[in-house]
């Protein structure tokens, strides 16, 4: 099916430059009210990347959607900017995209759907104020959807749900709503209702405006909405047929009798999700969904710090680093730290303090992003995500502030579950060491070194696919040929403090140290871990450093 170039709404515009404004509290409050910062989450292949691309299309931020649809596709998703993402047609790292939509300034953080990159997604969800969950209408709630939802629930993030692929064979909408409530434990409130599914899909009925939106398969064009007084309007039968009208009447009557009413307070508290039905690939149902998104999703919210609650309209600047990315511009071998602005105003060349180091630094070239593309900006407001050149002075979780001291909670690491020795296959030792350091800095993997024997790096990752990514990025970005030889170990534990005397360890335990020379034990089984703890009662073992 060809992609259709949809003209943006009249009040929508896209700009690569922030609007200059004064630094009065009133001006900051106005800009905060305009901001919407959200992430899209889903199980792989539910349509997350397609929905991202079509959101940009409706905003006028791109002229042609380019989701990968096959090996011969010449275009690729804007958010999938890495070479390996383009080769495999999957998202493996979060991407920041900024644009204006319906007079709101939107920051969309596209997240990986694959479970092996769940730590990157988790860190990204710490930087947003709301979430869009995409569900395949034929498959319902899938494994990764459930896991990502739980992360969003822990953060108490408001969530809108887009049930995708209604133009393909799909499950009963009532069954899908019941599954959302039963599996996720959240009230599901439909905002529109599908008229048929699959080859019988005729459109959706907007439950709020009492409008019917019609669908045609010829390229996904949309007919003008037709207003009807209710599903029982006799004119509706002439438009969609008696059978579809009868099904719509039955569905709407059930919703009116037993359905939950939408409550914006319950939605913003995370107790309720507003559900929209449509098809991202064919552009159907998107305009009303996106209008509801910018209307219902909250602006930047207060943030918990160690000793206080920080309001976004506070006059003092603060923010935190949630992501570090190397080689976004391969020619310059740059390292970029992604900062979520939480309060006050960030200005170019301002002095800020890194709370972890207790040192000052100047923000000389803050940038905003659109996938890989960037532009230096003069100002940024709460809700914005900016990139900072990282000369090795930023780590994931760092708090930056100016004025009153602030420290946001640290960002935890996931315990590694897969381990492998990274072995160099050529003589580029310097590039090899540089690549390992920078990918470790990103949080892509944990790195330890054996105490005994050859000191070659051992990688610990959350998902085994990350080993392939390490090999590919070392080759593409650093020109180094290397290979991961998988190890049988399944868990790592840091030794807290200096153990007195020799350790009693099973034969399979591997003793290592990290870059800070802290001792780390690698275990091949839970039995080895339990044995070590039992035989060394004075030993404290930590799952994360």
């Amino acid at each position: 099916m060809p992609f259709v170039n949809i003209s943006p709404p009249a009040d929508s515009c896209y700009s690569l430059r922030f609007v200059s404004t004064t630094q009065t509290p009133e001006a900051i409050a106005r800009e905060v009210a305009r901001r919407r910062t959200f992430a899209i989450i889903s199980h792989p292949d539910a349509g997350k990347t397609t929905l991202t691309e079509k959101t940009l299309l409706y905003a006028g931020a791109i002229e042609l959607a380019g989701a990968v649809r096959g090996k011969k596709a010449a275009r690729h998703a804007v958010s999938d900017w890495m070479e390996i993402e383009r080769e495999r047609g999957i998202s493996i790292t979060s991407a920041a995209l900024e644009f204006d939509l319906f007079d709101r300034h939107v920051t969309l953080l596209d997240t990986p759907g694959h479970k092996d990159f769940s730590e990157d997604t988790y860190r990204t969800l710490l930087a947003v104020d709301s979430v869009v969950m995409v569900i395949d209408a034929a498959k319902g709630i899938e494994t990764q959807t459930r896991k990502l939802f739980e992360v969003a629930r822990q953060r108490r993030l408001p969530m809108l749900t887009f049930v995708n692929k209604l133009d393909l064979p799909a499950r009963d909408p009532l069954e899908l709503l019941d599954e959302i409530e039963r599996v996720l434990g959240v009230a599901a409130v439909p905002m529109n209702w599908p008229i048929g599914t699959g080859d019988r899909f005729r459109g959706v009925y907007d439950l709020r405006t009492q409008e019917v939106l019609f669908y045609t398969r010829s390229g996904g064009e949309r007919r003008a909405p037709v207003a009807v007084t209710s599903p029982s309007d006799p004119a509706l039968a002439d438009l969609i047929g008696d059978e579809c009208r009868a099904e719509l009447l039955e569905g709407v009557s059930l919703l009116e009798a037993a359905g939950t009413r939408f409550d914006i307070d319950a939605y913003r508290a995370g107790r309720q999700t507003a559900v929209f039905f449509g098809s991202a690939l064919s552009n159907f149902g998107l305009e009303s969904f996106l209008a509801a998104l910018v209307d219902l999703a909250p602006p930047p919210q207060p943030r918990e710090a160690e000793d206080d609650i920080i309001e976004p309209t506070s006059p003092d600047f603060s923010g935190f680093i949630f992501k570090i990315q190397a080689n976004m511009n391969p020619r310059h071998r740059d390292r970029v730290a992604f900062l979520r602005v939480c309060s006050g105003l960030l200005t170019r060349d301002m002095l800020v303090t890194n709370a972890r180091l207790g040192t000052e630094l100047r923000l000389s070239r803050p940038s905003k992003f659109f996938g890989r593309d960037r532009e230096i900006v003069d100002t940024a407001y709460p809700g914005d995500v900016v990139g900072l050149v990282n000369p090795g002075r930023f780590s994931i979780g760092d708090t930056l502030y100016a004025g009153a001291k602030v420290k946001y909670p640290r960002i935890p690491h996931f315990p590694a579950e897969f381990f492998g020795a990274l072995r160099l296959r050529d003589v580029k030792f310097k590039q090899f060491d540089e690549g390992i350091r920078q990918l470790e800095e990103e949080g892509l993997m944990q790195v330890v070194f054996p105490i005994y024997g050859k000191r070659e790096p051992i990688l610990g990752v959350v998902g085994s696919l990350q080993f392939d990514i390490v090999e590919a990025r070392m080759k593409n970005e650093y020109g180094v040929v290397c290979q991961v030889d998988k190890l049988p170990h399944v868990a790592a534990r840091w030794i807290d403090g200096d153990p007195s005397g020799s350790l009693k360890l099973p034969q399979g335990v591997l003793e290592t140290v990290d870059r800070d020379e802290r001792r780390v034990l690698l275990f091949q089984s839970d039995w080895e871990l339990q044995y070590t703890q039992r035989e060394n009662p004075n030993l404290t073992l930590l799952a994360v450093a």
Side-chain angles (χ1 to χ4, degrees):
M1 183 178 294
F3 293 103
V4 180
N5 185 6
I6 304 297
S7 299
D11 59 348
S12 172
C13 63
Y14 173 68
S15 172
L16 280 176
R17 188 174 297 277
F18 284 92
V19 178
S20 178
T21 186
T22 59
Q23 300 182 26
T24 64
E26 293 78 14
I28 293 176
R30 283 196 301 270
E31 290 299 326
V32 168
R34 289 186 62 234
R35 262 56 185 175
R36 300 291 185 272
T37 304
F38 69 95
I40 302 180
I41 62 173
S42 78
H43 192 87
D45 298 323
K48 173 182 64 64
T49 298
T50 303
L51 181 60
T52 299
E53 292 284 293
K54 295 308 181 72
T55 300
L56 303 178
L57 187 70
Y58 269 76
I62 59 175
E63 294 182 355
L64 189 66
V68 177
R69 288 294 157 190
K71 293 182 179 179
K72 296 182 180 180
R75 299 183 301 273
H76 304 274
V78 170
S79 54
D80 292 342
W81 55 268
M82 279 187 177
E83 186 64 30
I84 191 169
E85 290 179 307
R86 295 170 182 264
E87 289 174 358
R88 299 192 180 209
I90 60 171
S91 299
I92 66 172
T93 186
S94 299
L97 302 156
E98 292 204 19
F99 51 93
D100 281 2
L101 177 67
F102 299 127
D103 201 32
R104 298 288 191 274
H105 188 76
V106 174
T107 299
L108 191 166
L109 298 180
D110 185 36
T111 63
H114 198 287
K115 63 182 178 63
D116 285 6
F117 307 101
S118 55
E119 186 167 3
D120 191 49
T121 298
Y122 175 81
R123 291 193 292 256
T124 300
L125 291 179
L126 294 176
V128 300
D129 299 299
S130 66
V131 167
V132 170
M133 178 172 64
V134 183
I135 296 175
D136 187 315
K139 299 176 182 178
I141 302 297
E142 299 177 83
T143 305
Q144 189 65 2
T145 312
R146 184 162 55 246
K147 290 180 179 179
L148 294 174
F149 174 83
E150 288 303 325
V151 175
R153 190 209 296 272
Q154 292 170 11
R155 288 271 296 108
R156 298 190 295 275
L157 292 172
M159 180 177 295
L160 297 182
T161 299
F162 187 79
V163 180
N164 194 24
K165 304 183 182 181
L166 263 293
D167 53 332
L168 300 175
R171 290 165 56 185
D172 180 84
L174 286 171
E175 180 184 334
L176 289 168
L177 292 176
D178 177 70
E179 183 175 62
I180 292 172
E181 296 193 339
R182 177 171 42 83
V183 175
L184 302 183
V186 60
V189 183
M191 308 300 278
N192 64 16
W193 197 249
I195 303 172
T197 59
D199 58 3
R200 297 176 58 252
F201 184 48
R202 297 292 179 268
V204 294
Y205 175 71
D206 192 313
L207 293 164
R208 295 187 301 168
T209 64
Q210 294 190 326
E211 288 183 335
V212 173
L213 302 175
F214 290 97
Y215 168 72
T216 42
R217 291 183 178 272
S218 55
E221 294 92 346
R222 296 157 297 133
R223 298 181 189 174
V226 177
V228 293
T229 57
S230 73
S232 60
D233 190 331
L236 193 57
D238 298 331
L239 297 170
I240 64 175
D242 290 329
E243 184 178 356
C244 284
R245 176 175 174 268
E247 291 179 357
L248 177 61
L249 277 170
E250 181 182 5
V252 171
S253 64
L254 285 172
L255 293 175
E256 289 177 346
T260 305
R261 299 289 182 184
F262 178 72
D263 182 329
I264 192 166
D265 292 329
Y267 153 69
R268 291 191 172 179
R271 300 191 304 270
Q272 194 180 89
T273 180
V275 181
F276 296 80
F277 295 87
S279 169
L281 183 60
S282 62
N283 305 323
F284 194 78
L286 289 185
E287 192 165 0
S288 57
F289 166 72
L290 294 174
L293 171 63
V294 298
D295 182 43
L296 301 176
Q301 297 296 290
R303 289 266 166 175
E304 290 186 13
E306 286 190 351
D307 301 316
D308 202 358
I309 301 295
I310 307 300
E311 295 290 337
T313 53
S314 167
D316 292 331
F317 161 78
S318 69
F320 65 91
I321 306 294
F322 68 93
K323 177 181 174 61
I324 292 177
Q325 186 71 54
N327 302 315
M328 293 194 71
N329 187 336
R331 289 181 298 179
H332 296 287
R333 293 299 177 94
D334 62 346
R335 288 179 289 171
V336 176
F338 285 80
L339 173 87
R340 156 70 193 237
V341 181
C342 298
S343 68
L345 184 71
L346 181 152
T347 58
R348 184 177 178 180
D349 291 324
M350 75 184 299
L351 280 174
V352 300
T353 300
N354 184 324
R356 175 176 59 89
L357 300 176
T359 57
E360 282 191 334
L361 65 154
R362 188 175 299 277
L363 304 183
S364 58
R365 290 184 292 164
S367 302
K368 69 173 296 187
F369 283 87
F370 192 72
R372 170 179 275 169
D373 298 332
R374 72 183 80 175
E375 180 170 319
I376 295 174
V377 295
D378 295 322
T379 56
Y381 297 89
D384 291 340
V385 170
V386 298
L388 307 174
V389 175
N390 180 23
R393 299 178 65 187
F394 297 132
S395 294
I396 291 173
D398 279 356
T399 296
L400 305 184
Y401 68 89
K405 184 177 180 179
V406 177
K407 190 171 184 181
Y408 292 106
R410 67 186 296 270
I411 297 178
H413 289 287
F414 285 19
E417 300 178 20
F418 300 87
F419 298 85
L422 186 63
R423 299 196 162 102
L424 180 62
R425 295 307 184 198
D426 57 30
V427 294
K428 297 180 178 179
F429 297 102
K430 182 179 179 180
Q431 294 91 328
F432 181 69
D433 291 339
E434 179 187 18
I436 294 170
R437 282 184 178 275
Q438 293 189 5
L439 296 183
E440 181 185 12
E441 184 183 64
E442 286 185 15
L444 180 60
M445 73 266 192
Q446 299 168 357
V447 180
V448 296
F449 302 89
I451 293 178
Y452 308 107
K454 189 176 181 181
R455 188 179 169 89
E456 52 187 8
I458 294 174
L459 312 184
V461 297
V462 175
S464 59
L465 182 58
Q466 288 173 294
F467 288 140
D468 295 342
I469 303 306
V470 170
E471 290 179 358
R473 290 190 62 188
M474 290 290 285
K475 180 179 179 181
N476 295 338
E477 299 174 22
Y478 300 94
V480 176
V481 178
C482 55
Q483 176 182 318
V484 177
D485 291 340
K486 295 181 180 179
L487 299 175
H489 302 84
V490 296
R493 293 293 185 270
W494 274 256
I495 298 177
D496 186 25
D498 294 324
S500 57
S502 60
L503 299 177
K504 296 180 181 180
L505 301 174
Q507 187 174 0
V509 176
L510 182 61
E511 296 183 70
T512 69
V513 292
D514 63 14
R515 289 197 186 277
D516 297 322
E517 296 299 323
R518 294 172 297 187
R519 294 184 67 178
V520 187
L521 303 179
L522 303 187
F523 300 93
Q524 297 186 34
S525 66
D526 288 338
W527 178 86
E528 288 185 352
L529 176 57
Q530 294 166 5
Y531 175 91
T532 300
Q533 189 69 79
R534 184 173 63 251
E535 295 299 317
N536 301 273
N538 297 325
L539 201 65
T540 301
L541 299 179
L542 305 176
V544 293

